[in-house]
Structure formats: structure tokens, C-alpha cells
Amino acid sequence: MRSKTILIVASAIAVAVLIFAWGRPRLNPIMAAQHSVTITWNATPGAQSYYVYRSTVSGSQYQKIGSSTTNSYKDSPVPSKAVLYYVVTAVNGKGESGYSGEIKAVVP
């Protein structure tokens, strides 16, 4: 009877060691669903680049998130179910323009 008890305990310890050695599963970020928003705008004559701003509040609290030398920008990753507002400025050697009109993006 004693040998069975020792075998069962030894098996339980072996399983516990395997679980500890494997650890927790790790998510592969490539497999996770990621959303992006791509915005485009009309090119501004004389612009050397553009700054892109984003907010979660319409009409205010814009924060610069990037720049582009073309008339498009891909914001990625963005959170699911977010409502985001974007504006763009044109930049050249004389400085930065005012904000463009705002565009709203609703992320699925």
C-alpha cells in the first residue's frame, strides 16, 4: 500500500514541476487584433511636412502623435471602440500652420 502512495505523490510532484516549468501561456502580439486609423488630406502648397494631432475630445485637447512628409498618416495601434478626433498642420521653414478641419474616426 505504501508504494502506491509514494508513486501517486511522485506523479503529482512531476506534474507540478512541469506546470511550473512551462509557466503561464504568453500571448503573441501578432495574433492579437490591432486596429489602425489612416487619414489623408489635401496637400498644402509649400508644405515640407505635416504634423498630426489626435484627441478623444472634439475640438480641443489635441496631442501631437506624429509627422508625415506625405499627405497621409497611419495611426496604429489604436484602442478598440475608441472615438478619436484628428487635425493636421502644415510645416515649412517659416513655421507651422493652424489646425486643419477636424475629422472623426470611430474604431470598431
Side-chain angles (χ1 to χ4, degrees):
M1 190 70 143
R2 217 168 214 240
S3 61
K4 287 183 182 179
T5 303
I6 292 172
L7 181 59
I8 292 170
V9 170
S11 296
I13 290 171
V15 169
V17 168
L18 283 176
I19 291 171
F20 179 75
W22 287 342
R24 295 181 181 169
R26 295 182 187 187
L27 294 178
N28 183 348
I30 295 171
M31 297 175 71
Q34 292 188 359
H35 298 284
S36 66
V37 173
T38 300
I39 60 172
T40 60
W41 55 88
N42 294 331
T44 301
Q48 296 170 339
S49 63
Y50 301 90
Y51 291 154
V52 180
Y53 296 82
R54 178 180 69 197
S55 178
T56 56
V57 178
S58 179
S60 65
Q61 301 179 16
Y62 298 114
Q63 294 184 349
K64 184 177 167 187
I65 59 167
S67 63
S68 176
T69 57
T70 67
N71 62 328
S72 68
Y73 183 83
K74 183 177 182 178
D75 185 12
S76 177
V78 294
S80 298
K81 303 190 185 322
V83 177
L84 304 169
Y85 301 91
Y86 295 88
V87 293
V88 176
T89 60
V91 181
N92 64 18
K94 295 180 181 178
E96 182 178 3
S97 73
Y99 291 144
S100 67
E102 179 181 85
I103 187 166
K104 177 181 177 180
V106 179
V107 182

